[in-house]
Amino acid sequence: MSKLFLFIGLFCLSYCSPVMAQLQASKWYFNNKLGLDFSSGSPQQINESEMQALEGCAVISDADGNVLLYSNGQQIWNKNHQIMSGGANILGHYSATQSVLIVPKPGSNTIYYVFTTDRPSVSNANVYPNQNYNPDLTNPLPGVLNQLLQDDGYNNGVNYVTVDITTDNGNGAVVSGSTHLITYDVNDNLEPRYKNSERLTGIADKATGDIWVISHFKDRFNAFKVTTAGVNPVPVVSPTIVTNSPTAFTSSVGSIKVSPDREYIAMTSYLGGNDIGTYMGYVALFHFDPTTGGIINEEILMENVPAYSVEFSPNGSKLYASIQYVRGEETYYEVYQFDLEAVDIRASATIVNQGRGTCGALQLAIDGKIYHLNPRYSALACIHNPNEQHEQLNYQWKEVDFSKEELVYHFATGLPNYLQSYFDGLIAVRNTCLGEETIFTLEDLTDVLQVDWNLGDGTVVTGNTVQHTYMQSGSYLIGATVTDMMGNVRNFKTEVFIAEQVQIFSVDKVYGCDTTGDGLIDFIDEKGIIEQAIGNQQNVGAQFYDEAGNYLPTLEQLEAGTYTLRVFNKKNKTCAKSIQLDIEVGSVAQQIEMDDVYVCTTDKTGYATFSTQRILEQVEGEIDTEKFQLKLVRSNGDEIAYPFPETIQNLTRNYEKISLVVTEDVSSCSVTYQFYLVVIAPSQLDEIENNIQCAENITGKQKFPTKQIAESIPVKTEEKLSFYTTTGEDITEEMYAGYTIRQAFSETIIARLENKNDKNCFTERKFKLALKICEDKAALFFPKFFTPNQDGYNDKWQALPKIRPHISAIKIFDRYGKLLAKIPPNSSGWDGIYNGKLMPKSSYWFSTRLYGKYEIKGHFALLY
């Protein structure tokens, strides 16, 4: 019988006393000093915060709902709403999605860790390791945001400070300054420049009380363990297939959340462009192990979408994600639901709400509802029944109206970031497998006189702790009527799921394959082993352990020996059985590396035809097809035996993960090599503005500051940027050094952004480098005087020869603005005659246009 407690969400139906509450997450401060108080059971607006926050923010209260401290990632405020001593600069960023997370130190009632993550700025990275004294404040926002638009010029990554709330006369103070946590490869040339994304979350392990603080950077999760001893600076690293390029600004935008039941972790990426067709963001789902901090079993639920925020329902059965699109001048949002109990989670995606506005943060509250911020309408929307299917959600788009408040800006999208374990609830339930004696008790029994229980199947009992054995699996609505010592009666309800016990079947003799000769398993059919063990059971999972009981995320890189396979009910992992596996290690002689296969197309469907010859070219001469069997395994499990058809088409949009399985005939030892069929589109290259400079000499040829143009174009790691003249001359190096135009006054340049994986997959943009005649330089191109005295010298006034082919007719005026003459640029010029008379000695003004576009003005003198 399992000893593990399962804490289920508890929701108050009438008056909620703080005695029975767990109110650390009951106060919300966000946006422009906005506040909500959930301690009464529904959100009540309050006006006490002094914090302004564009996105990430965090608040923590004590168990009675009294605020202890709060932060926007840059500053910390104390319970008196003053900047805390030592909390003026804690290295987060006003515009990081999850800029800050407040974590209580396990075993302490006074110490809190405030974790922050910076927004990884490209301009800061470009001057690393120096400080960027001109921080990139692109598109500054109006109003109260002006004071938030600050950056220290460094990409600070993940850091934390230590707060003792008993210091400074009980107001709290930072007692230990910023401690840096390494989430990147210190030996890499690029990663230390950026250090981390904007994603930061945390949850406590129910069994130990230890807390995991989790971030994601580039292609890995970093989980830092916080215990009674403090913060372990060495993270548990879990690699991911999805990769967020640190150099793409929007790639770092997104959020991560752990489900309250600790089963899953979800992540979004906002990587996007100017319209739907250019978005490359995603919603991804993983399995989380709160015992080890490991994160495995990656699944992409949505792709090519600009996904911002993510949240789980209280019971962990549903996942929600907010998506945002920009179409022209308008911004649109969509909120999706995914059913995590569905056979095909990806296919269960359903839009539950959509409209104009910003895809603000999604955040679960202690009332069991999920709130969605839409600053465009100065409102907080609410999903009232997030555990239900989308038809019963009751999405209210204006649950809380802030129309009378001044918001930071209608793109301010953040809601408070909390440890997800604060939403566990208040009822402890032990033994929830069918056939076991299920035990119910209240988490806090202070001042309780009597508890009357309705156990959902007709059973009614009384007692602080009660036991009951259910006859059928399924969900049961539990009711508890609590009477305290003062005679106050409160009614509560919650839902508990009684899961069926699993079966486990024997497994055939298991072989692992050593492909390197070191005696360790490099490949083993883990999926086949698990399928034998679970049979056709539904909602059943499995995990491997060593003889000491340590969890093994994989059997690879292990020696031959005896291991344990544990099969469990996915809805309740405590319902489990185990068998032993005796594993032997065979060998596979060949070793190959498979490159991804690319096809470039402008077809936005995301599907293309690939030649299998490009796959076989990689294995020719490496694998003896007489000795080894080859097959391709598709993403849907379909197998293609050798010899392969000439072409195949990707099954999933934009890319498909393919496995090449090589099986040795004698030992049946197989090794799998994986690669992707990747559909790529020509690189996205925005229009480049023409660069206009003032002409410095009569030749019309001079050097332009083209380095700024080249460096302003975003280039992803898989892309190459080049520049050409219209005759095809490669001038890339000159563009980065400063380019001198070959043609007088104007030259067209071609910028090409190509995918490194396919040089024929590119986009080109043309722009001009042009010179205009500025007024202070007009004398370089037009004479300062002329002397119409018929002596054969300077008898007429005309533009200098080098400029004439590029200008329109020249108008000449007297000092009062009267038009005296209009001379074509190819004429001999003005002779000083107006209405048959020679004009007097004086100054005269002229105007013309360069290329018919740029106006040129100046003056000259008529002398005798």
Side-chain angles (χ1 to χ4, degrees):
M1 184 176 294
S2 172
K3 299 296 184 181
L4 181 64
F5 281 84
L6 176 63
F7 290 89
I8 308 291
L10 177 69
F11 309 118
C12 184
L13 298 182
S14 56
Y15 171 74
C16 283
S17 166
V19 171
M20 292 299 301
Q22 204 175 28
L23 301 177
Q24 288 90 339
S26 61
K27 292 286 182 66
W28 287 21
Y29 296 154
F30 58 100
N31 209 287
N32 184 31
K33 303 181 181 181
L34 299 184
L36 293 174
D37 186 349
F38 287 85
S39 59
S40 67
S42 61
Q44 305 297 317
Q45 293 190 44
I46 53 176
N47 297 297
E48 56 190 28
S49 167
E50 289 296 322
M51 177 180 69
Q52 294 169 336
L54 178 61
E55 293 187 74
C57 49
V59 190
I60 195 165
S61 304
D62 62 21
D64 295 328
N66 301 307
V67 169
L68 299 175
L69 62 141
Y70 55 98
S71 174
N72 60 5
Q74 291 179 307
Q75 299 167 305
I76 303 176
W77 284 262
N78 63 24
K79 64 182 181 181
N80 295 319
H81 310 290
Q82 300 169 333
I83 298 295
M84 181 174 286
S85 175
N89 181 17
I90 57 171
L91 304 183
H93 197 281
Y94 74 95
S95 188
T97 318
Q98 295 174 294
S99 62
V100 59
L101 179 72
I102 302 173
V103 175
K105 182 179 181 180
S108 172
N109 294 322
T110 63
I111 301 299
Y112 292 83
Y113 300 113
V114 181
F115 290 83
T116 60
T117 184
D118 201 355
R119 188 197 82 169
S121 163
V122 175
S123 59
N124 291 348
N126 287 340
V127 299
Y128 173 87
N130 298 318
Q131 184 178 21
N132 175 27
Y133 290 98
N134 240 336
D136 178 12
L137 301 180
T138 306
N139 299 322
L141 305 176
V144 296
L145 253 185
N146 288 334
Q147 59 191 288
L148 293 179
L149 291 177
Q150 301 296 326
D151 188 281
D152 62 4
Y154 295 106
N155 287 340
N156 296 299
V158 178
N159 298 272
Y160 71 91
V161 298
T162 305
V163 172
D164 186 339
I165 60 171
T166 64
T167 56
D168 191 20
N169 298 318
N171 294 316
V174 174
V175 295
S176 179
S178 293
T179 300
H180 184 57
L181 296 175
I182 296 177
T183 57
Y184 48 90
D185 182 352
V186 296
N187 297 313
D188 185 81
N189 180 53
L190 187 64
E191 292 188 17
R193 296 172 178 266
Y194 293 88
K195 295 184 175 63
N196 199 59
S197 71
E198 300 182 12
R199 302 172 181 89
L200 189 65
T201 192
I203 196 162
D205 181 1
K206 289 180 180 178
T208 65
D210 296 337
I211 295 171
W212 292 104
V213 174
I214 307 168
S215 72
H216 186 274
F217 178 57
K218 195 177 178 182
D219 58 357
R220 73 203 69 115
F221 283 104
N222 294 282
F224 296 91
K225 195 172 189 179
V226 184
T227 68
T228 55
V231 179
N232 186 342
V234 180
V236 174
V237 179
S238 300
T240 60
I241 296 174
V242 291
T243 300
N244 300 305
S245 170
T247 61
F249 163 64
T250 56
S251 179
S252 73
V253 180
S255 63
I256 51 177
K257 292 283 184 69
V258 181
S259 59
D261 61 5
R262 283 80 167 167
E263 176 75 20
Y264 295 104
I265 184 168
M267 176 168 64
T268 61
S269 174
Y270 188 76
L271 182 59
N274 295 323
D275 55 70
I276 291 179
T278 63
Y279 289 113
M280 294 182 290
Y282 56 81
V283 180
L285 184 68
F286 310 79
H287 278 85
F288 175 65
D289 188 336
T291 304
T292 65
I295 299 167
I296 57 174
N297 297 341
E298 178 175 342
E299 181 178 0
I300 302 298
L301 301 184
M302 296 185 75
E303 54 193 335
N304 297 324
V305 293
Y308 181 74
S309 185
V310 68
E311 186 57 285
F312 290 92
S313 64
N315 68 2
S317 67
K318 305 295 186 296
L319 175 68
Y320 297 85
S322 62
I323 314 295
Q324 178 172 303
Y325 298 111
V326 178
R327 301 186 182 105
E329 300 297 322
E330 284 292 344
T331 302
Y332 299 84
Y333 74 88
E334 296 173 345
V335 178
Y336 281 81
Q337 181 198 69
F338 300 89
D339 185 353
L340 302 184
E341 296 178 340
V343 175
D344 187 342
I345 298 175
R346 179 186 174 105
S348 72
T350 306
I351 297 177
V352 299
N353 189 259
Q354 60 184 332
R356 292 185 179 183
T358 308
C359 69
L362 297 166
Q363 180 57 51
L364 180 62
I366 62 171
D367 61 359
K369 302 174 184 179
I370 293 177
Y371 291 85
H372 173 216
L373 179 62
N374 190 336
R376 180 188 182 97
Y377 297 104
S378 302
L380 199 62
C382 179
I383 303 173
H384 280 262
N385 305 307
N387 290 327
E388 302 297 329
Q389 296 293 343
H390 62 277
E391 298 90 346
Q392 290 83 38
L393 290 181
N394 187 17
Y395 185 104
Q396 297 295 326
W397 76 275
K398 206 166 189 176
E399 182 77 8
V400 182
D401 185 358
F402 292 111
S403 59
K404 296 181 180 180
E405 306 289 342
E406 180 187 4
L407 273 67
V408 171
Y409 193 61
H410 72 271
F411 284 120
T413 53
L415 289 174
N417 193 20
Y418 294 101
L419 287 177
Q420 293 295 97
S421 39
Y422 285 142
F423 307 108
D424 283 340
L426 303 174
I427 291 182
V429 183
R430 186 171 59 184
N431 306 333
T432 54
C433 301
L434 187 63
E436 293 183 337
E437 187 178 59
T438 303
I439 301 173
F440 296 91
T441 188
L442 293 178
E443 186 181 8
D444 188 346
L445 294 172
T446 308
D447 293 335
V448 171
L449 177 64
Q450 180 174 307
V451 184
D452 297 309
W453 300 83
N454 184 331
L455 301 182
D457 64 349
T459 302
V460 177
V461 291
T462 298
N464 292 341
T465 299
V466 296
Q467 301 85 32
H468 182 60
T469 300
Y470 289 90
M471 296 295 103
Q472 293 182 334
S473 63
S475 294
Y476 293 88
L477 184 63
I478 310 303
T481 300
V482 180
T483 305
D484 65 21
M485 297 297 183
M486 302 297 295
N488 296 315
V489 177
R490 286 152 291 154
N491 295 310
F492 299 90
K493 68 175 181 178
T494 191
E495 190 176 41
V496 64
F497 184 82
I498 303 300
E500 291 184 354
Q501 271 290 6
V502 299
Q503 290 180 290
I504 190 165
F505 302 98
S506 61
V507 176
D508 297 337
K509 191 172 184 179
V510 179
Y511 289 90
C513 298
D514 172 19
T515 64
T516 60
D518 60 2
L520 301 179
I521 298 171
D522 295 304
F523 167 76
I524 190 168
D525 186 10
E526 296 175 358
K527 181 180 178 182
I529 296 170
I530 292 172
E531 287 177 348
Q532 287 189 63
I534 67 176
N536 59 2
Q537 297 177 90
Q538 300 297 314
N539 296 315
V540 172
Q543 292 176 334
F544 297 102
Y545 296 83
D546 63 17
E547 289 187 283
N550 298 310
Y551 166 70
L552 299 172
T554 178
L555 295 173
E556 294 180 359
Q557 296 304 301
L558 298 177
E559 297 177 345
T562 300
Y563 298 91
T564 298
L565 176 63
R566 181 174 180 265
V567 174
F568 56 87
N569 191 309
K570 286 184 177 181
K571 295 183 177 181
N572 185 347
K573 284 187 175 181
T574 65
C575 303
K577 291 181 179 178
S578 300
I579 58 171
Q580 287 190 327
L581 302 173
D582 291 321
I583 300 179
E584 295 185 8
V585 179
S587 63
V588 176
Q590 74 282 356
Q591 184 127 13
I592 59 175
E593 293 184 3
M594 297 293 295
D595 296 326
D596 296 334
V597 179
Y598 295 86
V599 168
C600 182
T601 178
T602 57
D603 183 354
K604 292 186 177 181
T605 63
Y607 296 92
T609 300
F610 296 78
S611 170
T612 57
Q613 182 60 33
R614 297 177 64 182
I615 301 171
L616 290 172
E617 287 172 355
Q618 300 186 57
V619 302
E620 287 179 352
E622 300 291 337
I623 297 177
D624 183 353
T625 55
E626 297 294 327
K627 183 179 178 182
F628 294 94
Q629 299 176 11
L630 276 65
K631 66 178 178 181
L632 296 176
V633 180
R634 309 300 299 273
S635 59
N636 65 352
D638 288 350
E639 298 180 357
I640 303 175
Y642 180 84
F644 306 142
E646 291 184 1
T647 61
I648 57 176
Q649 188 180 54
N650 54 306
L651 298 178
T652 54
R653 191 166 183 262
N654 293 330
Y655 64 89
E656 181 187 356
K657 187 178 182 180
I658 302 288
S659 296
L660 174 64
V661 181
V662 181
T663 304
E664 208 272 335
D665 288 331
V666 177
S667 66
S668 298
C669 195
S670 297
V671 62
T672 299
Y673 302 99
Q674 294 180 331
F675 61 96
Y676 284 87
L677 303 179
V678 184
V679 180
I680 56 176
S683 299
Q684 296 299 312
L685 182 58
D686 293 336
E687 295 289 343
I688 303 173
E689 293 185 0
N690 297 331
N691 189 280
I692 312 299
Q693 303 287 326
C694 292
E696 299 291 341
N697 59 69
I698 191 64
T699 67
K701 298 179 180 180
Q702 66 190 49
K703 191 174 184 178
F704 279 71
T706 51
K707 181 180 179 181
Q708 300 173 12
I709 298 175
E711 292 183 345
S712 69
I713 299 174
V715 181
K716 301 171 186 173
T717 54
E718 70 274 14
E719 294 176 336
K720 175 185 176 183
L721 178 64
S722 305
F723 296 90
Y724 299 88
T725 66
T726 53
T727 61
E729 180 185 356
D730 189 335
I731 57 171
T732 304
E733 290 187 8
E734 293 179 73
M735 287 292 290
Y736 279 96
Y739 179 69
T740 301
I741 58 175
R742 302 331 194 223
Q743 303 171 12
F745 291 97
S746 178
E747 182 175 352
T748 298
I749 305 297
I750 301 171
R752 176 184 295 178
L753 189 62
E754 69 182 44
N755 193 301
K756 293 178 182 178
N757 297 302
D758 186 347
K759 66 180 181 181
N760 295 317
C761 195
F762 63 86
T763 299
E764 290 184 342
R765 297 291 184 188
K766 293 182 179 181
F767 63 97
K768 285 187 177 182
L769 302 177
L771 297 176
K772 64 179 180 179
I773 312 303
C774 298
E775 188 170 349
D776 61 336
K777 299 291 184 180
L780 292 173
F781 306 93
F782 300 88
K784 293 183 178 180
F785 68 92
F786 78 117
T787 56
N789 55 11
Q790 308 303 317
D791 63 355
Y793 298 98
N794 299 320
D795 288 332
K796 294 185 177 182
W797 186 89
Q798 177 60 285
L800 298 179
K802 293 273 187 182
I803 194 65
R804 292 180 193 176
H806 310 292
I807 62 174
S808 56
I810 306 173
K811 296 179 181 179
I812 300 175
F813 306 88
D814 64 12
R815 61 187 299 176
Y816 303 106
K818 182 177 182 179
L819 178 65
L820 303 179
K822 184 175 182 181
I823 58 175
N826 58 356
S827 69
S828 59
W830 185 47
D831 57 6
I833 302 298
Y834 175 69
N835 282 343
K837 296 182 180 180
L838 182 65
M839 296 301 292
K841 176 181 177 181
S842 182
S843 293
Y844 293 86
W845 277 256
F846 70 90
S847 72
T848 184
R849 287 186 178 275
L850 182 66
Y851 303 117
K853 181 177 181 181
Y854 305 109
E855 187 176 21
I856 307 170
K857 293 182 177 181
H859 58 87
F860 60 92
L862 188 156
L863 305 175
Y864 294 131

